Amino acid sequence: MIQPKNRTIDDIFSDGQNRIVIPRYQRNFDWGKNEVEELMMDLNDSIDKTGAGRLFLGSFIFANKTEGEFKVVDGQQRLTTIALILLACRAVAKKNKEYDLSQEIQKKLTFTDSATGRKISERLTVSPSIRDIFQHICDNNWNGEFPQKIDKKSMKKQIKKVKPVYEYIFDKVKHY
C-alpha cells in the first residue's frame, strides 16, 4: 500500500543513516541544460524577498525501505540534479570561505566518519552511467577538476553527462 508523506529535500538528504539508491533497472541520468535550466528557474522564482522559498518538485516515489535504503521508483533525474546543485553550492561556500556552510552541505551529500570526517559513502547512489564520477566529486576534498580516469577507467562518457550540467549550475549559484 502506498503511504504518501510530505517531505522536504532537506528531509530526504538528511534521513539518518538511510541511503537513496537508484536501482540498476532505472534509466540513465540524461538531463541536460534545458531540463536543469527549467528546474533552476523554478527554484529562483520560488524565492521570496526574504530569501526563503518553497517549491513543489513533484512526487518522488520510493520502494519500501530495506536494509537502510530507499530505492527510487520515480524522481531520479530530479534527485540527481538536486545533488549536483548541492555540490555546486558546496563549491561556492568553500570559495567564499564559508566552511561551516560547506560542511553542512557535505552532510547532505555523504555519510562521514565522525572521528575522521572522511567520506564513508554517498547518501545518493546514482545511476551506474555516472556513478564513478559522481562518487569522485562528492568527496569533500574534490578540487573542481574532472579526472579523465579513475582507477584506470575512462571517465569520458560520465564527464560528458555530468560536467556540462554541473558547470551550468555552478555558473548560476556562484553569484549568491
Side-chain angles (χ1 to χ4, degrees):
M1 174 187 269
I2 295 175
Q3 297 175 340
K5 296 179 183 176
N6 288 328
R7 297 279 188 246
T8 65
I9 290 300
D10 187 48
D11 294 339
I12 292 171
F13 281 94
S14 301
D15 189 13
Q17 294 301 309
N18 295 312
R19 293 170 42 106
I20 306 160
V21 177
I22 310 293
R24 288 195 167 280
Y25 61 80
Q26 289 284 356
R27 67 187 173 123
N28 291 333
F29 177 73
D30 63 3
W31 269 22
K33 183 182 175 223
N34 292 338
E35 293 86 359
V36 175
E37 184 176 38
E38 185 176 333
L39 176 61
M40 296 294 288
M41 285 189 322
D42 289 346
L43 287 169
N44 193 48
D45 291 347
S46 73
I47 298 171
D48 64 24
K49 292 176 185 170
T50 67
R54 284 209 169 290
L55 174 65
F56 178 68
L57 293 170
S59 297
F60 294 96
I61 300 174
F62 300 95
N64 289 340
K65 179 180 140 186
T66 57
E67 301 174 30
E69 293 183 348
F70 287 101
K71 290 190 176 18
V72 178
V73 176
D74 184 47
Q76 73 117 332
Q77 304 290 327
R78 289 170 285 153
L79 287 169
T80 302
T81 303
I82 290 163
L84 291 171
I85 292 169
L86 289 170
L87 285 161
C89 289
R90 180 191 69 186
V92 170
K94 284 181 175 183
K95 183 179 130 211
N96 294 335
K97 297 181 171 52
E98 295 178 24
Y99 300 116
D100 290 342
L101 176 59
S102 167
Q103 286 303 336
E104 287 304 309
I105 295 169
Q106 186 66 34
K107 290 176 187 176
K108 309 286 183 217
L109 295 165
T110 60
F111 297 108
T112 56
D113 183 292
S114 60
T116 65
R118 294 195 182 270
K119 177 180 83 169
I120 296 170
S121 70
E122 298 72 34
R123 286 187 176 271
L124 174 64
T125 301
V126 297
S127 162
S129 68
I130 62 167
R131 189 167 294 158
D132 297 315
I133 200 69
F134 183 80
Q135 289 173 340
H136 179 79
I137 67 178
C138 276
D139 191 285
N140 196 32
N141 295 319
W142 180 51
N143 65 3
E145 298 293 321
F146 287 84
Q148 294 302 306
K149 291 187 178 189
I150 296 176
D151 296 330
K152 298 181 182 178
K153 181 179 177 182
S154 174
M155 293 293 107
K156 189 175 182 177
K157 288 182 181 179
Q158 293 187 40
I159 289 171
K160 187 177 178 181
K161 288 179 174 277
V162 174
K163 187 176 179 181
V165 171
Y166 173 82
E167 287 179 341
Y168 173 80
I169 294 167
F170 180 81
D171 188 55
K172 295 297 180 191
V173 300
K174 72 181 179 185
H175 303 293
Y176 289 98

